[in-house]
Amino acid sequence: MTNTIKVEGFGSVSAAPDMMRFSYELIQDADSYAESHSALTEQYNAIVESFKKVLFNVAKVKTSSINVSIIHPYDKQPKQFRSSQNLTFEDKIDLDRMKDLLDALRSTTDFNFSLSYFIKDTTKYDNDAITLAVTDATDKAKVIASASGIKLGNIKTIEFVSQSMGRPYMKAMAMDMGGSMSASELTVSQNVLISWEIK
C-alpha cells in the first residue's frame, strides 16, 4: 500500500457585483377576498407605473408567488382575507435609478423589500479561486514534507469541493430608512483536497 499525504487548499477572490436584485412583498387585508385581491391588483399596478416612471424595464418584474389566506377572528373581530404577492426585479446595478424608484414608491405605497447584489457570471472568479486553492494545497504539502523529512511523489487524487459562488450581498431596508445603497465586493471561494505519494 502506497503511503500518501492529503492536504486541503483554500482560495478566494473578491469581485465587484454587477447585478442587483430587488425583492418585495405586497400585502393587502380586507373583509372579503374580492376586496383584498382588488386592492392587491391596484397596489401592483401602482408599482408598475413607478417602474415605468424611472425607465426600468417592467418586463423584468417577475411574480414568484401569490397567496391568499384567511385571518381568523379574535376578540370578536370580523374575519378578514389577506392577499399577498412576492415580486422580484433583477437588472444591472443602477443605484441612481434605484434611488429614484424608491422615492417614487414611497409616495404611492408601503411594502416590505430587500435589495441585494450579485455577480451574474462567476466563471472567471471561480477559476481564479480554484487556482489559488491548488497553489495553497501544494505550498502546504511542501512545508509539511520538509518539516517531516519526507519527499512528495506524484499526485494521487484531487477532490474539488465547490464553495460560495458570489453569494448575494443583501441590504434589507424599510421604506423610511436612509443610508448608503452602495454595493460591497463579494467573495468567491473554492477549496480542493489533494493527495500525494510519499517517497
Side-chain angles (χ1 to χ4, degrees):
M1 181 177 178
T2 303
N3 291 325
T4 62
I5 179 175
K6 180 179 286 188
V7 180
E8 186 171 17
F10 300 89
S12 63
V13 295
S14 296
D18 56 359
M19 298 290 291
M20 59 184 180
R21 179 182 296 117
F22 187 49
S23 304
Y24 45 110
E25 181 184 27
L26 314 181
I27 300 176
Q28 292 292 331
D29 296 339
D31 294 334
S32 69
Y33 164 74
E35 292 175 311
S36 175
H37 186 267
S38 178
L40 188 69
T41 300
E42 184 176 332
Q43 185 181 20
Y44 173 80
N45 290 336
I47 285 180
V48 169
E49 289 303 314
S50 295
F51 271 84
K52 290 180 179 179
K53 182 178 179 180
V54 299
L55 303 180
F56 271 136
N57 185 357
V58 295
K60 295 182 178 180
V61 178
K62 306 294 184 181
T63 297
S64 59
S65 66
I66 297 177
N67 301 289
V68 178
S69 58
I70 297 175
I71 303 175
H72 293 284
Y74 63 94
D75 293 337
K76 298 183 179 180
Q77 295 294 321
K79 179 175 68 175
Q80 284 197 313
F81 290 81
R82 170 168 294 173
S83 295
S84 63
Q85 185 171 1
N86 291 295
L87 305 171
T88 58
F89 170 78
E90 294 183 358
D91 204 350
K92 293 181 179 179
I93 292 178
D94 188 337
L95 296 183
D96 289 336
R97 194 176 297 180
M98 180 56 67
K99 289 177 182 177
D100 291 341
L101 174 66
L102 293 178
D103 287 340
L105 292 173
R106 185 180 292 112
S107 65
T108 60
T109 186
D110 289 321
F111 57 91
N112 300 317
F113 78 93
S114 65
L115 179 63
S116 60
Y117 307 101
F118 64 99
I119 300 170
K120 185 175 183 179
D121 184 1
T122 62
T123 302
K124 176 186 180 302
Y125 307 110
D126 287 329
N127 292 342
D128 289 345
I130 291 170
T131 299
L132 291 173
V134 171
T135 300
D136 181 51
T138 302
D139 290 344
K140 289 177 181 176
K142 289 178 179 178
V143 171
I144 294 171
S146 176
S148 304
I150 60 176
K151 291 184 178 180
L152 298 177
N154 296 324
I155 291 177
K156 293 289 291 181
T157 63
I158 299 179
E159 299 176 34
F160 170 62
V161 184
S162 180
Q163 295 292 311
S164 63
M165 299 179 65
R167 291 177 179 173
Y169 169 69
M170 183 78 69
K171 292 182 76 68
M173 299 172 284
M175 286 302 295
D176 59 350
M177 289 181 63
S180 173
M181 292 172 56
S182 59
S184 299
E185 286 194 333
L186 304 177
T187 299
V188 179
S189 301
Q190 302 291 351
N191 67 308
V192 297
L193 287 168
I194 304 178
S195 63
W196 287 263
E197 293 178 347
I198 296 175
K199 294 183 179 179

